[in-house]
Amino acid sequence: VVALAAGRRGTGCSPYDSDMATRTDDPSVRCPDVTVFFGHDGWQDDDAKAFDDPRILSEVLSAGTARTDLRVKLDEYKTLASVETIVFVDIATERLRVVQRTGRN
């Protein structure tokens, strides 16, 4: 999060850790490990606890969360029109799975 924030200063986007929630389906709320939102770096957003327009979502997989992350959360994240990239980090195998939207419907 710190590295993303330093590289994004002045771009209009802000990375958040799992303290910032993402609204998926009403009333579903998810807390990705890292989320990047565009247009939410102003003082008016300081008290927000959740946004519904993430651009980049990242989940760190563990034995206890992988199944939910790769199935349930992935399906929910894909329904959000704002999402461009979803990254799954598997720390056990040291691999990344990147899901990117290549076109708009």
Side-chain angles (χ1 to χ4, degrees):
V1 173
V2 173
L4 284 171
R8 301 288 185 240
R9 281 198 184 101
T11 64
C13 69
S14 296
Y16 293 88
D17 62 16
S18 60
D19 290 340
M20 177 60 73
T22 296
R23 285 187 208 96
T24 56
D25 276 331
D26 206 21
S28 291
V29 176
R30 298 292 182 183
C31 297
D33 294 303
V34 177
T35 308
V36 178
F37 296 96
F38 286 72
H40 292 293
D41 62 349
W43 60 268
Q44 65 273 20
D45 295 320
D46 284 351
D47 293 330
K49 301 294 181 209
F51 295 127
D52 60 2
D53 58 347
R55 292 273 182 95
I56 302 167
L57 298 154
S58 181
E59 294 284 358
V60 177
L61 305 177
S62 70
T65 66
R67 186 177 202 136
T68 299
D69 291 344
L70 292 169
R71 293 182 182 179
V72 177
K73 288 184 180 182
L74 176 59
D75 287 344
E76 289 181 13
Y77 294 159
K78 286 167 55 175
T79 66
L80 298 172
S82 63
V83 172
E84 294 174 355
T85 305
I86 306 164
V87 179
F88 296 99
V89 180
D90 189 331
I91 56 176
T93 62
E94 298 181 359
R95 292 185 181 186
L96 295 177
R97 176 179 176 195
V98 179
V99 178
Q100 288 192 295
R101 184 164 289 162
T102 57
R104 297 283 178 196
N105 295 338

